[in-house]
Amino acid sequence: MEWTNASTYQAAQKVSGDIEAHFLRHLESAREQGEEELATAPGKLHIELMIDVAFWASLRREEGLPTRISMAFLHPSQAGKPLLFEYRIPLSPKALTKLAPGVERAGVHVGIWYDEEGLYIWGTTIKLPNFCFVLDVSEPGLLVVKHRRAAGLGKFTNVAVLRGDQVKVVDETIGVNMDCPGILTSLLGINASPLWNHPVNVLIQIAVSMRAHRRGGILLVVPAGGDGWKESIIHPMQYLVSPVFSGVADLIRKDSNIVSEIYWQNALRREVDNITGLTAVDGATIINNQHELLAFGAKITRSFNSTAVEEVLLTEPVIGGSPALLHPSRIGGTRHLSAAQFVHDQKDALALVASQDGYFTVFSWSKPRQLIIAHRIDILLI
C-alpha cells in the first residue's frame, strides 16, 4: 500500500507536537541572541508526515539491505551548493527506499520541502542551516530526530528517538536540575563548546565510537598525574601501557591553524577509533582526563579501604522519566557493577559503560547527593 497524506504510524502523531515546540523554542531563542543562518521550523503536520514516511521506509529493503537515510527539512536556498533534481519527487516510502543506497554515507542529507501539493524531495545537501530539522532512519523501526548545533561542529543534538511504538523525547532541563558530568550537559546543548578539540567534545566522540563497535566495554577516565586509581585494579595488569600512549592527546594539543579543521577532525577520528577499539577487549580501558591511554583489559576490584557499593541513582534524560535508586546489578551485568564500584572508590573518576545491546551509561560521583549517579545517555548518542 502506498503512502497517502494521512499518517498511519501512531507514534508520529503522538510526538509531533512536542518536536514542533522544541524547534520553535530554540529558533526563537537563537533569533533573540542574534544568531544567523537559522533554519525554518517544520509545522506539526509536516513533522508527523515526515516521521510516518520515514518509519514505513525503514521497514523496506532495497536489494536485500535495509533503508538508511537522513532527511533534512530546508529550502534549497539554505543549502549552500546543493545537488538539485530537475524534477521534484513526491515524498513517499518507496522514493526514500530507492534513493537510500546513494545517500547513506554520513553527512549527506536528502532535502525535503513543501508546496501546495505536499512534501517533496528536491535533492541532497551536505550543508545545513542552524537548528535544521533532521530525521535519521538508523535501522528498521528506529528513527532519530535531531538538529545541527548552532556552532555547526560536533555531534548533532538529539531531540527524540522513536523505536517502533516506543517514543522518547529528550528532556533538556535534566542537565540543569541534576548534578551532571560535562559529557551529558554538552550532549544536551548546555554550555557546549564549538571547538572540535575541546576535551568534552573529544570524549563524546570516544563514547560514540565505543558504542558503535557493539561489543560492549568499559572506559575509565581518571585524573592525570595521579595513580590512586591503581588501588581499584587487580595487579599485575596484562596490558599496562608504558609510556602512556598520547595519540589523541597530541592531536588536541597541536596548533589547529597549521592545516584545515577537516584534516584535524579526520585525524582525530582515526586516533579515537584506535583507542575505542581496545574497549572491546575483556576488562576496562583506562585513560586520563588529558586523553592519554594508560591501560586496557584491566580488571576492576574493590579498593582495600572501601566498602561495596549498595545503590546508585539511575537517570535518563527523557521527558516523563523518573530517577530511581537501584542496586547497580539491576542496571546491567558485571560491567555496570564493576564500573559503579570503581567510581564509588575513585570519586574523581568517570566510568563509561557500553552494552552490547546499545545501552550506554556514564557513572559519576555526585558530591551534593553523596552517591553515584548512573546517567543512561544512549538516546543522545544514536
Side-chain angles (χ1 to χ4, degrees), residues 211-233:
R211 183 177 181 271
H213 65 56
R214 293 189 174 276
R215 293 178 179 271
I218 302 176
L219 179 74
L220 306 177
V221 185
V222 300
D227 58 3
W229 58 269
K230 293 181 178 180
E231 297 177 359
S232 299
I233 300 296

PDB file of all heavy atoms in Angstrom, residues 211-233:
ATOM      1  N   ARG A 211      30.440   2.934  21.460  1.00  0.00           N
ATOM      2  CA  ARG A 211      29.127   2.300  21.312  1.00  0.00           C
ATOM      3  C   ARG A 211      28.983   1.632  19.960  1.00  0.00           C
ATOM      4  O   ARG A 211      28.292   0.607  19.830  1.00  0.00           O
ATOM      5  CB  ARG A 211      28.033   3.358  21.501  1.00  0.00           C
ATOM      6  CG  ARG A 211      26.605   2.828  21.446  1.00  0.00           C
ATOM      7  CD  ARG A 211      25.604   3.937  21.716  1.00  0.00           C
ATOM      8  NE  ARG A 211      24.256   3.412  21.683  1.00  0.00           N
ATOM      9  CZ  ARG A 211      23.509   3.342  20.579  1.00  0.00           C
ATOM     10  NH1 ARG A 211      24.023   3.756  19.423  1.00  0.00           N
ATOM     11  NH2 ARG A 211      22.280   2.861  20.618  1.00  0.00           N
ATOM     12  N   ALA A 212      29.660   2.196  18.942  1.00  0.00           N
ATOM     13  CA  ALA A 212      29.462   1.733  17.572  1.00  0.00           C
ATOM     14  C   ALA A 212      29.999   0.324  17.331  1.00  0.00           C
ATOM     15  O   ALA A 212      29.481  -0.387  16.467  1.00  0.00           O
ATOM     16  CB  ALA A 212      30.112   2.708  16.598  1.00  0.00           C
ATOM     17  N   HIS A 213      31.038  -0.097  18.082  1.00  0.00           N
ATOM     18  CA  HIS A 213      31.579  -1.435  17.778  1.00  0.00           C
ATOM     19  C   HIS A 213      30.707  -2.556  18.329  1.00  0.00           C
ATOM     20  O   HIS A 213      30.879  -3.722  17.973  1.00  0.00           O
ATOM     21  CB  HIS A 213      33.044  -1.569  18.210  1.00  0.00           C
ATOM     22  CG  HIS A 213      33.314  -1.496  19.678  1.00  0.00           C
ATOM     23  ND1 HIS A 213      32.721  -2.316  20.612  1.00  0.00           N
ATOM     24  CD2 HIS A 213      34.173  -0.698  20.381  1.00  0.00           C
ATOM     25  CE1 HIS A 213      33.200  -2.046  21.812  1.00  0.00           C
ATOM     26  NE2 HIS A 213      34.066  -1.066  21.708  1.00  0.00           N
ATOM     27  N   ARG A 214      29.746  -2.217  19.175  1.00  0.00           N
ATOM     28  CA  ARG A 214      28.705  -3.148  19.626  1.00  0.00           C
ATOM     29  C   ARG A 214      29.240  -4.426  20.292  1.00  0.00           C
ATOM     30  O   ARG A 214      28.601  -5.469  20.270  1.00  0.00           O
ATOM     31  CB  ARG A 214      27.766  -3.527  18.474  1.00  0.00           C
ATOM     32  CG  ARG A 214      26.913  -2.367  17.982  1.00  0.00           C
ATOM     33  CD  ARG A 214      25.856  -2.795  17.010  1.00  0.00           C
ATOM     34  NE  ARG A 214      24.964  -1.696  16.669  1.00  0.00           N
ATOM     35  CZ  ARG A 214      23.912  -1.308  17.365  1.00  0.00           C
ATOM     36  NH1 ARG A 214      23.609  -1.964  18.484  1.00  0.00           N
ATOM     37  NH2 ARG A 214      23.160  -0.306  16.973  1.00  0.00           N
ATOM     38  N   ARG A 215      30.416  -4.332  20.876  1.00  0.00           N
ATOM     39  CA  ARG A 215      30.944  -5.468  21.626  1.00  0.00           C
ATOM     40  C   ARG A 215      30.855  -5.243  23.137  1.00  0.00           C
ATOM     41  O   ARG A 215      31.189  -6.130  23.920  1.00  0.00           O
ATOM     42  CB  ARG A 215      32.403  -5.731  21.241  1.00  0.00           C
ATOM     43  CG  ARG A 215      32.584  -6.207  19.808  1.00  0.00           C
ATOM     44  CD  ARG A 215      34.046  -6.410  19.484  1.00  0.00           C
ATOM     45  NE  ARG A 215      34.243  -6.890  18.127  1.00  0.00           N
ATOM     46  CZ  ARG A 215      34.263  -8.161  17.776  1.00  0.00           C
ATOM     47  NH1 ARG A 215      34.098  -9.094  18.701  1.00  0.00           N
ATOM     48  NH2 ARG A 215      34.458  -8.516  16.527  1.00  0.00           N
ATOM     49  N   GLY A 216      30.423  -4.052  23.523  1.00  0.00           N
ATOM     50  CA  GLY A 216      30.385  -3.720  24.934  1.00  0.00           C
ATOM     51  C   GLY A 216      31.763  -3.348  25.432  1.00  0.00           C
ATOM     52  O   GLY A 216      32.779  -3.665  24.797  1.00  0.00           O
ATOM     53  N   GLY A 217      31.823  -2.665  26.561  1.00  0.00           N
ATOM     54  CA  GLY A 217      33.109  -2.301  27.121  1.00  0.00           C
ATOM     55  C   GLY A 217      32.994  -1.255  28.207  1.00  0.00           C
ATOM     56  O   GLY A 217      31.932  -0.662  28.419  1.00  0.00           O
ATOM     57  N   ILE A 218      34.111  -1.052  28.923  1.00  0.00           N
ATOM     58  CA  ILE A 218      34.200  -0.048  29.983  1.00  0.00           C
ATOM     59  C   ILE A 218      35.364   0.882  29.680  1.00  0.00           C
ATOM     60  O   ILE A 218      36.466   0.427  29.354  1.00  0.00           O
ATOM     61  CB  ILE A 218      34.432  -0.695  31.366  1.00  0.00           C
ATOM     62  CG1 ILE A 218      33.316  -1.680  31.722  1.00  0.00           C
ATOM     63  CG2 ILE A 218      34.542   0.377  32.453  1.00  0.00           C
ATOM     64  CD1 ILE A 218      33.553  -2.414  33.033  1.00  0.00           C
ATOM     65  N   LEU A 219      35.113   2.174  29.791  1.00  0.00           N
ATOM     66  CA  LEU A 219      36.178   3.170  29.691  1.00  0.00           C
ATOM     67  C   LEU A 219      36.207   3.945  31.000  1.00  0.00           C
ATOM     68  O   LEU A 219      35.201   4.535  31.404  1.00  0.00           O
ATOM     69  CB  LEU A 219      35.930   4.125  28.526  1.00  0.00           C
ATOM     70  CG  LEU A 219      36.995   5.217  28.356  1.00  0.00           C
ATOM     71  CD1 LEU A 219      38.270   4.618  27.766  1.00  0.00           C
ATOM     72  CD2 LEU A 219      36.487   6.345  27.471  1.00  0.00           C
ATOM     73  N   LEU A 220      37.352   3.938  31.673  1.00  0.00           N
ATOM     74  CA  LEU A 220      37.533   4.678  32.921  1.00  0.00           C
ATOM     75  C   LEU A 220      38.348   5.926  32.633  1.00  0.00           C
ATOM     76  O   LEU A 220      39.399   5.850  31.976  1.00  0.00           O
ATOM     77  CB  LEU A 220      38.243   3.813  33.961  1.00  0.00           C
ATOM     78  CG  LEU A 220      37.602   2.453  34.262  1.00  0.00           C
ATOM     79  CD1 LEU A 220      38.463   1.666  35.254  1.00  0.00           C
ATOM     80  CD2 LEU A 220      36.185   2.621  34.812  1.00  0.00           C
ATOM     81  N   VAL A 221      37.875   7.072  33.107  1.00  0.00           N
ATOM     82  CA  VAL A 221      38.578   8.349  32.928  1.00  0.00           C
ATOM     83  C   VAL A 221      39.045   8.811  34.301  1.00  0.00           C
ATOM     84  O   VAL A 221      38.226   9.118  35.171  1.00  0.00           O
ATOM     85  CB  VAL A 221      37.676   9.413  32.282  1.00  0.00           C
ATOM     86  CG1 VAL A 221      38.477  10.679  31.992  1.00  0.00           C
ATOM     87  CG2 VAL A 221      37.050   8.879  30.994  1.00  0.00           C
ATOM     88  N   VAL A 222      40.355   8.857  34.493  1.00  0.00           N
ATOM     89  CA  VAL A 222      40.924   9.171  35.804  1.00  0.00           C
ATOM     90  C   VAL A 222      41.734  10.465  35.709  1.00  0.00           C
ATOM     91  O   VAL A 222      42.134  10.878  34.626  1.00  0.00           O
ATOM     92  CB  VAL A 222      41.819   8.015  36.304  1.00  0.00           C
ATOM     93  CG1 VAL A 222      41.011   6.734  36.432  1.00  0.00           C
ATOM     94  CG2 VAL A 222      43.007   7.806  35.375  1.00  0.00           C
ATOM     95  N   PRO A 223      41.989  11.137  36.842  1.00  0.00           N
ATOM     96  CA  PRO A 223      42.773  12.382  36.814  1.00  0.00           C
ATOM     97  C   PRO A 223      44.205  12.129  36.343  1.00  0.00           C
ATOM     98  O   PRO A 223      44.817  11.105  36.676  1.00  0.00           O
ATOM     99  CB  PRO A 223      42.748  12.856  38.273  1.00  0.00           C
ATOM    100  CG  PRO A 223      41.570  12.167  38.892  1.00  0.00           C
ATOM    101  CD  PRO A 223      41.479  10.852  38.195  1.00  0.00           C
ATOM    102  N   ALA A 224      44.735  13.054  35.568  1.00  0.00           N
ATOM    103  CA  ALA A 224      46.120  12.961  35.123  1.00  0.00           C
ATOM    104  C   ALA A 224      47.059  13.257  36.283  1.00  0.00           C
ATOM    105  O   ALA A 224      46.744  14.042  37.178  1.00  0.00           O
ATOM    106  CB  ALA A 224      46.372  13.942  33.977  1.00  0.00           C
ATOM    107  N   GLY A 225      48.201  12.615  36.283  1.00  0.00           N
ATOM    108  CA  GLY A 225      49.224  12.907  37.275  1.00  0.00           C
ATOM    109  C   GLY A 225      49.127  12.116  38.563  1.00  0.00           C
ATOM    110  O   GLY A 225      49.998  12.214  39.419  1.00  0.00           O
ATOM    111  N   GLY A 226      48.085  11.316  38.726  1.00  0.00           N
ATOM    112  CA  GLY A 226      47.948  10.524  39.951  1.00  0.00           C
ATOM    113  C   GLY A 226      47.844   9.049  39.623  1.00  0.00           C
ATOM    114  O   GLY A 226      47.569   8.667  38.490  1.00  0.00           O
ATOM    115  N   ASP A 227      48.064   8.203  40.613  1.00  0.00           N
ATOM    116  CA  ASP A 227      47.945   6.762  40.398  1.00  0.00           C
ATOM    117  C   ASP A 227      47.074   6.094  41.450  1.00  0.00           C
ATOM    118  O   ASP A 227      47.136   4.883  41.651  1.00  0.00           O
ATOM    119  CB  ASP A 227      49.319   6.105  40.361  1.00  0.00           C
ATOM    120  CG  ASP A 227      50.120   6.338  41.642  1.00  0.00           C
ATOM    121  OD1 ASP A 227      49.578   6.967  42.579  1.00  0.00           O
ATOM    122  OD2 ASP A 227      51.282   5.896  41.692  1.00  0.00           O
ATOM    123  N   GLY A 228      46.211   6.894  42.111  1.00  0.00           N
ATOM    124  CA  GLY A 228      45.298   6.327  43.102  1.00  0.00           C
ATOM    125  C   GLY A 228      44.346   5.303  42.502  1.00  0.00           C
ATOM    126  O   GLY A 228      43.886   4.397  43.190  1.00  0.00           O
ATOM    127  N   TRP A 229      44.062   5.450  41.209  1.00  0.00           N
ATOM    128  CA  TRP A 229      43.147   4.525  40.541  1.00  0.00           C
ATOM    129  C   TRP A 229      43.658   3.091  40.550  1.00  0.00           C
ATOM    130  O   TRP A 229      42.862   2.136  40.446  1.00  0.00           O
ATOM    131  CB  TRP A 229      42.908   4.984  39.097  1.00  0.00           C
ATOM    132  CG  TRP A 229      44.153   5.104  38.263  1.00  0.00           C
ATOM    133  CD1 TRP A 229      44.940   6.194  38.103  1.00  0.00           C
ATOM    134  CD2 TRP A 229      44.752   4.072  37.462  1.00  0.00           C
ATOM    135  NE1 TRP A 229      45.997   5.935  37.261  1.00  0.00           N
ATOM    136  CE2 TRP A 229      45.898   4.642  36.844  1.00  0.00           C
ATOM    137  CE3 TRP A 229      44.440   2.743  37.193  1.00  0.00           C
ATOM    138  CZ2 TRP A 229      46.726   3.903  35.986  1.00  0.00           C
ATOM    139  CZ3 TRP A 229      45.263   2.004  36.339  1.00  0.00           C
ATOM    140  CH2 TRP A 229      46.384   2.594  35.753  1.00  0.00           C
ATOM    141  N   LYS A 230      44.979   2.924  40.697  1.00  0.00           N
ATOM    142  CA  LYS A 230      45.552   1.580  40.660  1.00  0.00           C
ATOM    143  C   LYS A 230      45.101   0.735  41.850  1.00  0.00           C
ATOM    144  O   LYS A 230      45.155  -0.495  41.795  1.00  0.00           O
ATOM    145  CB  LYS A 230      47.077   1.657  40.624  1.00  0.00           C
ATOM    146  CG  LYS A 230      47.616   2.251  39.317  1.00  0.00           C
ATOM    147  CD  LYS A 230      49.135   2.285  39.295  1.00  0.00           C
ATOM    148  CE  LYS A 230      49.671   2.820  37.977  1.00  0.00           C
ATOM    149  NZ  LYS A 230      51.151   2.877  37.929  1.00  0.00           N
ATOM    150  N   GLU A 231      44.641   1.412  42.935  1.00  0.00           N
ATOM    151  CA  GLU A 231      44.143   0.671  44.097  1.00  0.00           C
ATOM    152  C   GLU A 231      42.870  -0.102  43.768  1.00  0.00           C
ATOM    153  O   GLU A 231      42.496  -1.029  44.496  1.00  0.00           O
ATOM    154  CB  GLU A 231      43.875   1.632  45.253  1.00  0.00           C
ATOM    155  CG  GLU A 231      45.109   2.357  45.764  1.00  0.00           C
ATOM    156  CD  GLU A 231      44.771   3.343  46.865  1.00  0.00           C
ATOM    157  OE1 GLU A 231      43.567   3.451  47.205  1.00  0.00           O
ATOM    158  OE2 GLU A 231      45.687   4.005  47.375  1.00  0.00           O
ATOM    159  N   SER A 232      42.190   0.291  42.697  1.00  0.00           N
ATOM    160  CA  SER A 232      40.928  -0.356  42.324  1.00  0.00           C
ATOM    161  C   SER A 232      41.087  -1.287  41.127  1.00  0.00           C
ATOM    162  O   SER A 232      40.099  -1.668  40.497  1.00  0.00           O
ATOM    163  CB  SER A 232      39.872   0.720  42.010  1.00  0.00           C
ATOM    164  OG  SER A 232      39.629   1.532  43.136  1.00  0.00           O
ATOM    165  N   ILE A 233      42.327  -1.663  40.827  1.00  0.00           N
ATOM    166  CA  ILE A 233      42.615  -2.547  39.699  1.00  0.00           C
ATOM    167  C   ILE A 233      43.412  -3.754  40.189  1.00  0.00           C
ATOM    168  O   ILE A 233      44.315  -3.619  41.023  1.00  0.00           O
ATOM    169  CB  ILE A 233      43.422  -1.804  38.605  1.00  0.00           C
ATOM    170  CG1 ILE A 233      42.633  -0.604  38.080  1.00  0.00           C
ATOM    171  CG2 ILE A 233      43.796  -2.753  37.472  1.00  0.00           C
ATOM    172  CD1 ILE A 233      41.346  -0.963  37.366  1.00  0.00           C
TER     173      ILE A 233
END
